[in-house]
Amino acid sequence: MSGGEKSRVQIIKEKAKTCYENAVRIIGDLEENVFSKREGFAYTRSQLFADYDAFLQAVLIKICVSHGEFGEEEMDFIETIADYGKLVDGMDFSLFAGCGKEMSDKIGEKADERLADIPVCIKLSAAVDSGRDTGVTKALLDDTARIAFLLKYLRPEGEEKNNEDVSAALKSVYVFLNANGIPLK
């Protein structure tokens, strides 16, 4: 690889960061243009971003757990994707690369706990989409799912085509949106 060429991993990380920045922009727009104008709105912009980051890391950890291993590239991806918050404050996910089953199970439990709660940004986007098809929720989830699939591209060939792990990680969000009549098509 010559000096100017990017590695496959670098390209994947850059694409994921672009999706992440799109998601953060959507969340920021929701906060700035809709919810900050409402009296008594209880969340700051940074709290919304941190909540999304914890959710996103939980989705990505869930995918790694479903594959039974925490590879070095995957854990570095999870560590570097989020800018504002963490699934577990103070935790450096890159240190868990290659960890044993007991440790990966513990991290998986933290991810499951976080995935049981719908992120505030999804609730806000659903409120905006409720009764009108603005597509905000779909755009936010599309970026989140793209990041999840990009994580999968770090794995051996062929696994990225199966989306059961991504669907399982996002299941509580899909159930919430379906129950509230929010279209994702």
Side-chain angles (χ1 to χ4, degrees), residues 122-166:
I122 298 290
K123 292 176 182 176
L124 298 179
S125 66
V128 167
D129 282 343
S130 183
R132 54 200 174 284
D133 191 10
T134 57
V136 176
T137 307
K138 181 182 182 328
L140 184 54
L141 276 179
D142 283 352
D143 283 319
T144 304
R146 282 187 193 103
I147 294 167
F149 276 104
L150 286 162
L151 171 76
K152 290 169 55 119
Y153 276 102
L154 295 173
R155 303 189 62 77
E157 294 293 317
E159 290 186 21
E160 68 276 358
K161 293 188 178 29
N162 180 340
N163 68 358
E164 288 175 21
D165 50 0
V166 175

Side-chain angles (χ1 to χ4, degrees), residues 57 97 102 106 140 179:
Q57 286 182 328
E102 185 178 333
K106 289 261 187 241
L140 184 54

Side-chain angles (χ1 to χ4, degrees), residues 92-110:
D92 180 347
F93 288 105
S94 57
L95 298 176
F96 290 89
C99 69
K101 181 166 175 28
E102 185 178 333
M103 188 59 72
S104 65
D105 286 351
K106 289 261 187 241
I107 298 170
E109 287 171 18
K110 287 284 186 201

Side-chain angles (χ1 to χ4, degrees), residues 7-19 72-78 80-81 150 154:
S7 73
R8 180 174 169 271
V9 171
Q10 287 172 312
I11 292 167
I12 289 170
K13 283 184 173 182
E14 285 176 10
K15 288 181 181 216
K17 203 61 169 179
T18 299
C19 292
E72 195 171 313
E73 289 172 343
E74 290 97 332
M75 297 313 286
D76 184 60
F77 181 99
I78 293 167
T80 59
I81 192 67
L150 286 162
L154 295 173

Side-chain angles (χ1 to χ4, degrees), residues 48-122:
L48 292 173
F49 293 157
D51 183 56
Y52 175 74
D53 285 357
F55 168 74
L56 176 61
Q57 286 182 328
V59 167
L60 300 175
I61 290 289
K62 179 82 172 170
I63 290 167
C64 288
V65 167
S66 72
H67 291 275
E69 65 177 291
F70 288 172
E72 195 171 313
E73 289 172 343
E74 290 97 332
M75 297 313 286
D76 184 60
F77 181 99
I78 293 167
E79 179 60 31
T80 59
I81 192 67
D83 292 336
Y84 301 94
K86 290 225 171 221
L87 174 61
V88 179
D89 287 335
M91 181 180 282
D92 180 347
F93 288 105
S94 57
L95 298 176
F96 290 89
C99 69
K101 181 166 175 28
E102 185 178 333
M103 188 59 72
S104 65
D105 286 351
K106 289 261 187 241
I107 298 170
E109 287 171 18
K110 287 284 186 201
D112 286 340
E113 287 171 16
R114 179 60 193 89
L115 292 173
D117 289 330
I118 305 304
V120 175
C121 62
I122 298 290

Side-chain angles (χ1 to χ4, degrees), residues 118 122-123 126-127 129-131 137 141 170-184:
I118 305 304
I122 298 290
K123 292 176 182 176
D129 282 343
S130 183
T137 307
L141 276 179
L170 293 171
K171 183 178 182 190
S172 63
V173 170
Y174 292 138
V175 168
F176 168 80
L177 295 173
N178 190 36
N180 288 283
I182 307 301
L184 292 177

